[in-house]
Amino acid sequence: MSITDKTVLITGANRGIGQALVSEALARGARRVYAGTRQPMAHPDPRVTPLTLDVTDAAQIQAAAGQVGSLDLLVNNAGIALYDDLTDRDLLERHLAVNLFGTYGVTQAFLPELTRSGGAIVNNVSLMALAPFPVTPAYAISKAAAFNLTQSLRALLAGRGVRVHAVLTGPTDTAMTRGFEIPKASPESVARAIFDALDRGEEDIFPDPMSASVADGWRHGVAKAMERENAAFVPPEPAAA
Ligand SMILES: NC(=O)c1ccc[n+]([C@@H]2O[C@H](COP(=O)([O-])OP(=O)(O)OC[C@H]3O[C@@H](n4cnc5c(N)ncnc54)[C@H](OP(=O)(O)O)[C@@H]3O)[C@@H](O)[C@H]2O)c1
């Protein structure tokens, strides 16, 4: 999918990778960018429409869905990552509320529009969906679940003409990785790589040097082969009357 002349909604759009995705979508000629944020946001480009959107708030999700007319691309980017050691159940539930159920709730709300447009969903997951970094295990669990959700939605929505992409993002230089002294990609380069991969139709997107180093192994591995085999069990959509 090329972003030119498309309508895009990005959650967590006020900073980090989300902010970079907004700028990149505009640079590529998006017709309208809905910027979902928890706090009010202003943007100088008239193609940006701010949306109040806490992805854990069902009423705000419904209100946002009512404000957006047609939609070609939904980017579920909002996320939280906190240090833990799996001793705090509440903290695990907070990660699931944003990273899993937030992605799920926003997707369900915008699915009718995406189905109408034959659009696409991009879930900004994490490389940690494939292997946890045990300093943030609750985060890794929530991202593994969000990735699995992405894989099932991909199979379930294919018959409706909605494509579903996962971004297996590696370390990126945002507030989320502050304090980790490791090589990090810039959010701008990650945003460019995500839209480049969408242009090429890649269903699993590896947008930075660290994630790119495992892309081939993932794409040709047993887990990907099983995903494809299992997807064949989804019954085809009934033909339209
Ligand atoms: N940075 C990395 O290395 C990395 C690696 C892999 C994956 N990712 C993923 O990339 C995405 C963006 O992360 P980032 O690195 O850009 O981190 P970030 O700078 O911390 O940005 C997180 C964004 O999510 C928003 N957010 C948090 N909770 C929310 C909620 N309940 N409802 C709506 N928005 C909410 C934040 O809004 P507020 O300003 O209101 O808090 C902020 O806009 C996340 O899903 C993250 O897991 C990041």
Side-chain angles (χ1 to χ4, degrees):
M1 172 190 274
S2 158
I3 217 69
T4 310
D5 214 30
K6 296 290 197 308
T7 298
V8 186
L9 166 55
I10 299 164
T11 66
N14 54 307
R15 58 190 172 94
I17 298 171
Q19 185 178 37
L21 286 166
V22 170
S23 301
E24 190 60 29
L26 294 170
R28 289 177 187 235
R31 181 155 37 95
R32 170 113 347 250
V33 178
Y34 291 99
T37 60
R38 291 196 286 187
Q39 300 301 324
M41 187 190 101
H43 196 285
D45 192 305
R47 292 173 293 162
V48 175
T49 303
L51 283 181
T52 303
L53 186 52
D54 181 327
V55 301
T56 65
D57 186 322
Q60 285 188 11
I61 293 174
Q62 278 320 310
Q67 273 180 267
V68 172
S70 70
L71 188 65
D72 299 302
L73 177 65
L74 167 64
V75 185
N76 286 304
N77 168 76
I80 57 164
L82 303 165
Y83 296 97
D84 79 310
D85 58 5
L86 290 183
T87 54
D88 182 349
R89 182 188 167 106
D90 178 61
L91 196 128
L92 175 57
E93 289 184 355
R94 281 166 60 198
H95 280 88
L96 291 171
V98 180
N99 300 346
L100 173 64
F101 291 111
T103 297
Y104 170 81
V106 173
T107 299
Q108 292 302 321
F110 287 95
L111 205 44
E113 285 306 333
L114 293 166
T115 304
R116 255 189 289 281
S117 66
I121 299 164
V122 171
N123 291 339
N124 191 0
V125 187
S126 167
L127 207 45
M128 282 187 218
L130 303 183
F133 185 52
V135 176
T136 53
Y139 172 73
I141 288 167
S142 70
K143 290 295 185 173
F147 184 41
N148 206 279
L149 169 75
T150 306
Q151 292 171 300
S152 284
L153 286 173
R154 177 179 290 158
L156 291 165
L157 300 180
R160 293 200 220 171
V162 178
R163 300 203 57 174
V164 185
H165 305 262
V167 188
L168 284 304
T169 314
T172 306
D173 194 7
T174 68
M176 197 170 272
T177 56
R178 196 172 292 146
F180 281 115
E181 296 312 323
I182 48 170
K184 299 171 198 171
S186 70
E188 293 77 18
S189 68
V190 166
R192 279 196 300 277
I194 290 172
F195 286 125
D196 284 347
L198 272 182
D199 278 350
R200 294 192 295 269
E202 293 174 12
E203 58 183 20
D204 295 321
I205 299 172
F206 298 84
D208 58 278
M210 185 183 284
S211 66
S213 72
V214 306
D216 267 3
W218 168 256
R219 290 186 177 127
H220 301 109
V222 288
K224 189 69 198 177
M226 280 176 64
E227 180 192 328
R228 293 208 176 96
E229 282 165 23
N230 294 349
F233 285 88
V234 176
E237 289 282 306

